[in-house]
Amino acid sequence: MTQEKFGEKDFQTIIGNLLRYGVWTSLSVAFIGGIVYLLHHGNELEDYSVFKENDRNIFEVITAVYQGVIQGRGESIIFLGIVLLFLTPVFRVLLSLFSFFLEKDYLYVVITTIVIGIIVLSISFGFSH
């Protein structure tokens, strides 16, 4: 019995499944959040004539979403679905970094690390004013 090396094809399968299941999971969570929201607020009219800017930082937003999901608030569940949708390709980049590291492809390790740094910086500065 020969032991096969965990190869690039295996990582491609894992990455494909991550993307597929990540999208389906995030869509399911957002859909459930939409149903919950409509059950509680379906008859209300929303006023979109005034834009309300959010001045909270990323940690306050994450805390508010977490608490809202625990309380079963539909809008927080929808937002969690959106966050999961956003995180799906981020996890793909992290998995690619791990794959490149195992393959000892250090040029792509550096490039992928730069991409992760850009993502972290854009998230950090995107939520603070």
Side-chain angles (χ1 to χ4, degrees), residues 4-77:
E4 291 185 31
K5 187 177 176 185
F6 196 72
E8 185 178 338
K9 184 177 179 189
D10 297 320
F11 267 108
Q12 293 302 321
T13 302
I14 292 170
I15 288 171
N17 286 335
L18 172 73
L19 293 172
R20 183 178 306 109
Y21 295 128
V23 169
W24 278 109
T25 301
S26 62
L27 289 175
S28 299
V29 169
F31 183 74
I32 291 168
I35 290 172
V36 171
Y37 182 81
L38 288 176
L39 287 173
H40 292 106
H41 304 285
N43 294 327
E44 297 176 9
L45 290 177
E46 198 64 41
D47 181 21
Y48 293 108
S49 62
V50 177
F51 178 73
K52 300 171 196 163
E53 188 173 354
N54 188 348
D55 288 335
R56 299 184 294 183
N57 67 33
I58 183 73
F59 301 110
E60 291 172 338
V61 172
I62 291 171
T63 302
V65 170
Y66 174 74
Q67 290 172 348
V69 168
I70 296 299
Q71 296 169 358
R73 293 180 42 217
E75 60 271 20
S76 294
I77 298 171

Side-chain angles (χ1 to χ4, degrees), residues 102-120:
L102 287 180
E103 294 172 7
K104 295 180 173 63
D105 195 346
Y106 298 116
L107 174 63
Y108 283 103
V109 168
V110 170
I111 292 170
T112 307
T113 303
I114 291 169
V115 169
I116 292 169
I118 291 169
I119 291 170
V120 169

Side-chain angles (χ1 to χ4, degrees), residues 93-107:
V93 172
L94 289 172
L95 190 59
S96 295
L97 176 66
F98 183 69
S99 170
F100 294 141
F101 188 76
L102 287 180
E103 294 172 7
K104 295 180 173 63
D105 195 346
Y106 298 116
L107 174 63

